Amino acid sequence: MTTPFSNETTTTAQSAPTAPATIPDRSAMQCALNHAVTRGGAPGMVVEVRDDRGRWFGSAGVSDTGTGRERRPSERFRIGSTTKAFTAALVLRLAAEGKLGLDDTMERWLPGLVAGNGHDGRAITIRQLLNHTSGILNYGNDPEFFKRGVGAAWFQHRYDTYAPERLIRIGLATPPAFAPGDAFLYSNTNYFLAALIVEKATGGTFAQALTQWIVQPLKLTGTYLPGAEPTIRGPHPRHYSTLFSSDAQPEVHDATEMNQSFAWAAGGIISTTGDLQRFFGALLRGRLLPAEQQQDMFTTVDTTGPVPWIPSTRYGLGVFAQTLPTGVTVWGNAGATYGSWTYAVGTRDGGHLLASQVNGDWSGLGAFDGILTTEFGAAAERASSPRTHGAGGDTRHAGR
């Protein structure tokens, strides 16, 4: 089978070896995958890897604890905040077309919306939304909103539809954490604002723009924004969640069906491991964005901020750079939502990619530690060389 990129071969953990020389040896990765599921007690996990040896898919555990159905390569799942890379790429595509500018202000595009409680839409730019230096708080951290998604309350509200403006106003109800550009604070509110600007710039819905500018050009056949649609189309694993329970031994619930309008452009996309590799491969290799916008996307800011984020990371526009314990730096994004954690990263030149998902939400990012360090061992990598970083791999001050 051929991959989305020319002349690459595909192999899976399930395939019988027909020519050992052509099938990448991923026994260590399979062991790491098995260990991640066993140690964390996750229902199931998948990993898809692509490098110059070809493409490999491995799985552990199950898609459905009731039937014992195995995880498969074609499965669709909720990717959480990995969505932000798609949103940022869309904004940058529009910037390349001259439909908007990264240093345009909120007031220019959304007059009167970002105001009050110390917020000033004249001082916040699109760039600062995308790299989380706007100072605007995350609507998800609002105590009243958060309570709707915990335990029994989740079942009462799982099909609720949220208008973007409603959630933005929740984020703006708290004064900014700092002046725009002064620090980093991760906030879904930023990406809701960016998506509203996309709609103003294109005259259509955010979902339509995403399809036109990203999904269709890259032929991402398993990727879509469901809006208020509660089900996942096509083959998919069940998504198992503890619903943020603080119990020592929390009950696990099937959270597969839900209305993710509460996540929208910040975390609502559904995709597959193959589509994530196609997307991040195109992004990292410079096939999706012109050089100027590529430079913008991979210019990073410090993530320690007033609320420290993922250790050993820096954040660009919808993507992060993470230095692993092996010393290798990978680029991409990760995300979580009810019943699903996703990681999709690669070397800066896009020559070595990994996409993974676990269909349970209690293991956290630690579920991916073993597979990341196993796959991106220092001895095997060329990503840290100046050649592979190239233009767009530099770092600049948050205030840019």
Side-chain angles (χ1 to χ4, degrees):
M1 182 190 305
T2 58
T3 67
F5 301 112
S6 60
N7 300 321
E8 294 179 321
T9 58
T10 301
T11 61
T12 72
Q14 290 85 10
S15 27
T18 56
T22 67
I23 295 186
D25 179 9
R26 287 291 198 281
S27 56
M29 172 58 77
Q30 186 64 55
C31 287
L33 184 56
N34 295 340
H35 180 65
V37 170
T38 302
R39 179 190 60 188
M45 193 172 187
V46 291
V47 175
E48 187 165 325
V49 177
R50 186 197 307 268
D51 62 11
D52 56 8
R53 296 179 294 168
R55 179 180 171 193
W56 179 89
F57 177 89
S59 69
V62 299
S63 289
D64 187 325
T65 58
T67 65
R69 174 168 51 89
E70 294 183 353
R71 301 294 312 259
R72 305 300 300 174
S74 59
E75 289 177 331
R76 298 174 178 180
F77 47 84
R78 302 185 190 277
I79 69 171
S81 284
T82 313
T83 298
K84 291 181 174 67
F86 288 80
T87 300
L90 172 56
V91 171
L92 288 164
R93 287 291 302 271
L94 296 176
E97 294 294 320
K99 294 183 177 296
L100 55 81
L102 292 183
D103 296 313
D104 292 348
T105 67
M106 297 303 95
E107 190 63 19
R108 173 176 176 179
W109 286 101
L110 305 170
L113 180 57
V114 182
N117 300 315
H119 296 284
D120 184 356
R122 299 169 299 178
I124 299 172
T125 66
I126 296 174
R127 189 189 307 273
Q128 290 164 344
L129 297 179
L130 298 182
N131 66 13
H132 296 295
T133 63
S134 71
I136 299 172
L137 297 192
N138 183 7
Y139 62 80
N141 292 338
D142 175 77
E144 291 303 313
F145 177 78
F146 183 78
K147 284 194 300 186
R148 291 170 171 258
V150 178
W154 180 83
F155 289 98
Q156 299 173 16
H157 298 285
R158 69 190 295 181
Y159 299 121
D160 289 358
T161 297
Y162 292 90
E165 292 83 357
R166 176 184 175 186
L167 298 181
I168 288 169
R169 290 191 175 95
I170 291 175
L172 295 174
T174 300
F178 46 79
D182 278 1
F184 174 93
L185 184 66
Y186 194 81
S187 175
N188 287 339
T189 314
N190 289 326
Y191 276 70
F192 270 53
L193 287 164
L196 288 186
I197 292 172
V198 166
E199 293 188 336
K200 282 287 189 74
T202 61
T205 68
F206 175 77
Q208 289 169 340
L210 183 71
T211 299
Q212 177 183 348
W213 293 89
I214 304 294
V215 174
Q216 288 182 341
L218 292 180
K219 298 181 173 60
L220 306 180
T221 57
T223 300
Y224 67 100
L225 187 68
E229 181 183 346
T231 58
I232 299 176
R233 306 170 197 165
H236 60 273
R238 307 308 296 175
H239 288 40
Y240 297 101
S241 176
T242 59
L243 305 180
F244 290 100
S245 171
S246 58
D247 294 344
Q249 293 185 333
E251 184 178 355
V252 176
H253 304 273
D254 188 333
T256 309
E257 291 191 8
M258 60 178 160
N259 179 335
Q260 278 217 290
S261 59
F262 70 86
W264 195 42
I269 285 178
I270 290 169
S271 191
T272 68
T273 54
D275 275 8
L276 289 174
Q277 291 208 325
R278 185 191 289 263
F279 170 72
F280 281 102
L283 201 60
L284 289 165
R285 294 180 182 185
R287 296 180 179 177
L288 185 60
L289 300 172
E292 180 181 352
Q293 285 70 40
Q294 188 84 346
Q295 174 79 35
D296 287 326
M297 174 163 262
F298 294 100
T299 295
T300 62
V301 298
D302 182 83
T303 62
T304 52
V307 180
W309 200 54
I310 302 172
S312 303
T313 61
R314 292 182 64 87
Y315 204 91
L317 304 186
V319 295
F320 62 72
Q322 181 176 16
T323 301
L324 303 174
T326 60
V328 173
T329 297
V330 293
W331 297 75
N333 212 319
T337 187
Y338 292 96
S340 179
W341 283 79
T342 302
Y343 230 93
V345 294
T347 54
R348 182 60 186 85
D349 64 351
H352 193 170
L353 302 165
L354 179 148
S356 181
Q357 190 261 355
V358 57
N359 61 325
D361 61 13
W362 52 89
S363 299
L365 288 176
F368 302 98
D369 288 348
I371 65 170
L372 289 169
T373 55
T374 297
E375 187 60 31
F376 295 102
E381 291 307 318
R382 300 172 296 278
S384 297
S385 69
R387 179 185 65 82
T388 56
H389 273 76
D394 68 330
T395 58
R396 297 184 182 178
H397 187 265
R400 178 172 181 256

